[in-house]
Amino acid sequence: SLTQGRHSRHLGACAAALARFGHRGDSGDTSGDNTGDIGDLAVAAEQLRVARRELGRITGQVGAEEVLDIIFRDFCVGK
């Protein structure tokens, strides 16, 4: 059904984001160079945010960010 297909797509997107989160440290770099830590942390946080958003689309939990995205996308004058 449509609902099951939608749920499947969102679960797949959630799983993909979690997989990207899980593989972020697989580069094998042990040089001790920590210059990328802040960027790596930002990327990891984004993947977790994406996973949470996809689950929220199934459960009906919508965050403020999504509401603002919809408002600016659909209701802003001058687009």
Side-chain angles (χ1 to χ4, degrees):
S1 81
L2 178 62
T3 302
Q4 290 173 344
R6 183 177 65 83
H7 289 179
S8 178
R9 283 191 310 277
H10 291 306
L11 281 175
C14 176
L18 290 174
R20 288 189 300 271
F21 171 78
H23 293 303
R24 76 192 188 291
D26 289 348
S27 65
D29 181 14
T30 58
S31 65
D33 179 12
N34 292 331
T35 58
D37 286 351
I38 298 295
D40 292 344
L41 183 59
V43 170
E46 175 64 13
Q47 295 309 319
L48 290 176
R49 188 187 69 77
V50 168
R52 184 195 123 327
R53 183 186 68 216
E54 294 298 332
L55 286 178
R57 288 181 174 168
I58 295 170
T59 63
Q61 295 179 345
V62 178
E65 184 177 310
E66 288 185 9
V67 171
L68 290 174
D69 286 345
I70 292 168
I71 289 170
F72 283 109
R73 182 189 68 221
D74 294 346
F75 299 108
C76 282
V77 178
K79 279 189 124 183

